[in-house]
Each structure stands twice: as C-alpha cells, then as structure tokens.
Amino acid sequence: MWAALITISGYVPVPLSGADYLELLPVRWQPVTERGIRLDYRTYNHDILDPHRSERSPITSKDGKWEVHHNPHDARQIWVRLTDGHLHEIPWIHRDHVHQPFNDAIWRHVQAEVEQRGDREQHEADLADALDQLLRRTRHPAETEQKTRRRRASRSATAAQLPDLPGQRRPLDAETAPALAPDWSESLDDLITVDTPAQTGTSEPEGASGLPGAAGGYGLWDAEAEAEQW
C-alpha cells in the first residue's frame, strides 16, 4: 500500500538532522556502573551519568540496562538515552589521546597485538597508546615513503662500495638505471617511404593531379578540391 500511494501522491524528501542520524545508529543495551559504561573493553564516562550510576533503567524488558547508540566507524564516543528521553554524548576516557576515528576492526587488531601486562585500567591505556601510534602511521604515508626512499638510497650506496666479482653484473635500480639512447643510424627519409604510381604500377586516379602536393607526395588535404572531384 505504501508503494501504491507513493506512485499516486508522491513524496517530499526531507534531509535528516543530526538527531536523526543518532537515532539510526546501532543500539546496544549496557549497564551504567560506577566507572561509567563499558563497551568492547573501552570505558565511557561523563559527569552526566552521576545520577544514574548503578541504577536500573526504566526499560524493564531489557533487564534494567540503558539504551546505548554507537558508531561502528568512530568509537571515540557513544550516546546513551537517559530518563529525559534524549541521547547524550558520552566520550571515551582516552578520546583526548586518540584524535582520529577508528572502527571495530582496527580496535580488534590492536587488541590482538597488545598483551595485557597490568590491571584493566592500565591495559586500556596501553591499547589507547598503541591505537594512537597505529593511526599516526597510517595518516602520514608520505613520511613512510620518504623512509623507504632513504632505505633504497642506503642500499644503493652500500652496493656501490662492494667489489665486483668476476662474471658478476651489478643490478641497477629502476630509479638509477640510465635511459636507453635513441638509435639514429637510420635517417628520417629512410624510415618514411612513399610508393609513387610509377613504382606501384597503378595509374593515377582521374583528377588527382589537381590536388596540391609537396615533394615526396605529402601535401595538405583540400576538402573543397576533393568535393569538386566527386
């Protein structure tokens, strides 16, 4: 019925607001503890949670947990719906240390690389530090390219200092290899050959003598003269 009515009456496109986008984010149900909201081994905390810490939400069907909206592509903050019915932004406690957005895949990669060597708070701080270093490396690929070029130059300099063995050919890098010199043994006249009517044994078409031509048979094509012949 909706599709049938759309074809008859049409619709008015309305752009979504910021609040609409927050409502469309994925939802998870989490408790509000004394430390804040724990989500995927990350702690989110704000002073606005003080009246609701260790309290059950009015949603009895969710076992007293609170409605939490999260962005899978930017986990630096979440939004929790409190008793006033509005979504409130709750930052990650290490958001000031990690200034770039990250998704769940990057977070799981960092978790697999960092070994836990302390309590939960220290481990979360270590994860945040490793995450920040990873994002910095991926954000500045130009610096990585410069380091790669410096390593190539160092290898080339080292190879130049090594003695040549009998029968050994020194490899050349693509950047330092000299360009092939052009072969000028053949002149331009030898490369460009034109068959004249006498050489080919064919007669000149009627009216072709009226076309202007330079020595060697290379003349400019005249559209008007060609039209008069036809």
Side-chain angles (χ1 to χ4, degrees):
M1 292 302 298
W2 175 266
L5 291 176
I6 285 293
T7 57
I8 296 174
S9 60
Y11 67 96
V12 177
V14 179
L16 298 177
S17 62
D20 295 329
Y21 280 105
L22 295 181
E23 294 290 347
L24 294 174
L25 289 177
V27 179
R28 294 182 61 172
W29 296 87
Q30 301 291 133
V32 177
T33 64
E34 292 294 335
R35 297 179 180 270
I37 300 176
R38 188 77 171 172
L39 185 64
D40 291 338
Y41 298 95
R42 297 184 302 269
T43 304
Y44 299 86
N45 196 12
H46 194 272
D47 295 340
I48 199 173
L49 298 177
D50 291 344
H52 311 285
R53 298 184 188 274
S54 301
E55 291 188 359
R56 299 172 63 88
S57 71
I59 310 298
T60 58
S61 60
K62 297 299 180 179
D63 195 21
K65 296 182 180 180
W66 299 81
E67 180 182 352
V68 175
H69 293 236
H70 64 98
N71 187 352
H73 307 289
D74 188 1
R76 294 175 299 173
Q77 58 278 317
I78 59 175
W79 293 265
V80 58
R81 193 184 304 278
L82 298 180
T83 54
D84 57 0
H86 299 289
L87 291 174
H88 298 270
E89 180 178 342
I90 310 298
W92 183 32
I93 60 175
H94 296 287
R95 184 173 67 175
D96 294 338
H97 184 62
V98 181
H99 302 282
Q100 302 178 44
F102 60 94
N103 54 22
D104 295 336
I106 297 179
W107 178 254
R108 289 193 297 268
H109 172 75
V110 173
Q111 284 182 302
E113 295 294 330
V114 178
E115 182 181 358
Q116 184 173 358
R117 299 181 179 180
D119 56 3
R120 188 177 67 179
E121 296 181 358
Q122 182 61 38
H123 182 55
E124 186 174 356
D126 294 340
L127 291 174
D129 184 67
L131 175 63
D132 180 67
Q133 295 179 10
L134 175 62
L135 295 177
R136 288 179 184 273
R137 291 196 301 268
T138 57
R139 184 180 182 182
H140 301 284
E143 297 180 0
T144 306
E145 181 65 22
Q146 292 177 359
K147 294 180 181 179
T148 303
R149 291 181 178 179
R150 286 196 295 266
R151 288 196 298 267
R152 290 178 181 175
S154 177
R155 289 196 299 266
S156 300
T158 304
Q161 298 175 359
L162 296 177
D164 292 336
L165 300 177
Q168 178 185 9
R169 298 185 60 184
R170 183 182 301 276
L172 296 178
D173 295 338
E175 299 178 355
T176 59
L180 297 177
D183 185 8
W184 299 104
S185 59
E186 296 181 354
S187 63
L188 184 61
D189 295 336
D190 297 334
L191 295 176
I192 302 177
T193 57
V194 180
D195 295 334
T196 60
Q199 296 173 349
T200 57
T202 58
S203 60
E204 186 178 6
E206 182 180 358
S209 59
L211 293 177
Y218 285 94
L220 297 178
W221 182 71
D222 192 349
E224 296 181 356
E226 184 72 18
E228 292 178 356
Q229 297 176 17
W230 291 94

